[in-house]
Amino acid sequence: MKKPHIAIEIPEYFPKEFDNLILDEITHEKLELDFQRSEPKMFAALEWVIPGLIATYIFKPYFESFLKEAGKDHYQILKKKMNTLLAKAKGMHVRKVTASESTKKLDKTNSQTGAISIFLETKQGYLIKLLYDNNLDLSVWQQATNQMFDLMEMHYEDNDNDPISKYLNQISEQKIGKEIFAIIDPETKNWTLIHNLGQYIKENRNNNKDDKNN
């Protein structure tokens, strides 16, 4: 099945006016947009990998073909649209629930929002999932997202000397899945790319324990 340029999924119970919020300005005669509403799902997966209520996927064909045809004006519109969705998501209170057999996997140290996820596909086919910490301000979310979109533009224009390509080249020899996680560093407000999520969660838990003990 051919990949769309962009795919967006939201819950079925969102009000109908939310459709216009998403589709307004972003639609284009040459843009292949897969927009769907879905029923709530139960997941038997680690909560860090579960998509947010608003899940947006920007696939490789968008960067490789659509941008060349439609121009970068649409890219600026897309960035603004993501910032609008982030603003909506920031005010949502999401109760995290996984399938009953995996409730023990709920991580109390995980402050990343369950309201929104943005996925960006690299040239090599990796999906970078952007995670948003509820402890950070909306302005930080938005500035970091603009930064990541600039990095992705550089990734598709540069000759493998961009920061994303350099990171992926470093991990290419390791046996990992096709999903990379991007987390905003609370101090620098820049993105940290993570491919070993289990190790990151373990270190995060240990750091929280150390903070409590001090």
Side-chain angles (χ1 to χ4, degrees), residues 38-91:
S38 63
E39 295 292 334
K41 303 181 184 73
M42 295 290 283
F43 292 91
L46 198 67
E47 62 171 317
W48 291 68
V49 305
I50 296 172
L53 290 181
I54 305 169
T56 301
Y57 300 81
I58 303 168
F59 292 114
K60 182 159 56 171
Y62 178 87
F63 297 99
E64 287 188 333
S65 60
F66 177 79
L67 274 187
K68 293 179 181 178
E69 296 180 24
K72 294 182 180 179
D73 287 346
H74 190 274
Y75 201 51
Q76 299 304 317
I77 293 172
L78 180 60
K79 287 197 288 187
K80 291 179 180 178
K81 182 63 63 176
M82 293 302 102
N83 284 334
T84 298
L85 293 181
L86 287 171
K88 287 292 183 181
K90 187 63 171 170

Side-chain angles (χ1 to χ4, degrees), residues 61-205:
Y62 178 87
F63 297 99
E64 287 188 333
S65 60
F66 177 79
L67 274 187
K68 293 179 181 178
E69 296 180 24
K72 294 182 180 179
D73 287 346
H74 190 274
Y75 201 51
Q76 299 304 317
I77 293 172
L78 180 60
K79 287 197 288 187
K80 291 179 180 178
K81 182 63 63 176
M82 293 302 102
N83 284 334
T84 298
L85 293 181
L86 287 171
K88 287 292 183 181
K90 187 63 171 170
M92 294 180 184
H93 298 284
V94 180
R95 180 170 174 260
K96 297 176 181 178
V97 178
T98 60
S100 58
E101 64 269 22
S102 65
T103 52
K104 63 183 180 180
K105 294 179 181 177
L106 288 172
D107 184 0
K108 294 181 180 179
T109 67
N110 179 14
S111 58
Q112 309 300 324
T113 183
I116 189 168
S117 295
I118 298 175
F119 297 83
L120 303 169
E121 188 175 18
T122 72
K123 289 187 293 187
Q124 299 89 340
Y126 291 96
L127 273 181
I128 300 178
K129 179 182 180 181
L130 309 188
L131 297 172
Y132 296 92
D133 193 328
N134 278 318
N135 295 324
L136 298 176
D137 294 337
L138 172 62
S139 61
V140 175
W141 287 14
Q142 293 174 330
Q143 290 168 10
T145 301
N146 289 338
Q147 178 195 53
M148 179 58 77
F149 271 71
D150 290 343
L151 289 173
M152 286 299 294
E153 185 177 0
M154 190 186 308
H155 174 63
Y156 276 90
E157 289 181 345
D158 207 283
N159 187 23
D160 293 335
N161 288 319
D162 62 282
I164 292 175
S165 292
K166 288 179 179 179
Y167 174 80
L168 295 177
N169 289 336
Q170 289 175 359
I171 65 172
S172 61
E173 300 299 323
Q174 304 181 41
K175 294 181 179 179
I176 64 171
K178 281 295 186 179
E179 192 165 74
I180 304 293
F181 300 87
I183 294 180
I184 303 171
D185 186 293
E187 294 184 3
T188 66
K189 307 301 187 294
N190 294 322
W191 292 101
T192 298
L193 296 179
I194 299 166
H195 66 277
N196 190 335
L197 186 60
Q199 181 64 29
Y200 176 83
I201 293 173
K202 182 179 179 180
E203 291 176 356
N204 195 48
R205 285 174 179 161

Side-chain angles (χ1 to χ4, degrees), residues 19-31:
D19 294 12
N20 292 332
L21 175 71
I22 291 176
L23 300 175
D24 183 44
E25 294 185 329
I26 199 175
T27 54
H28 187 282
E29 59 180 5
K30 295 183 179 180
L31 180 71

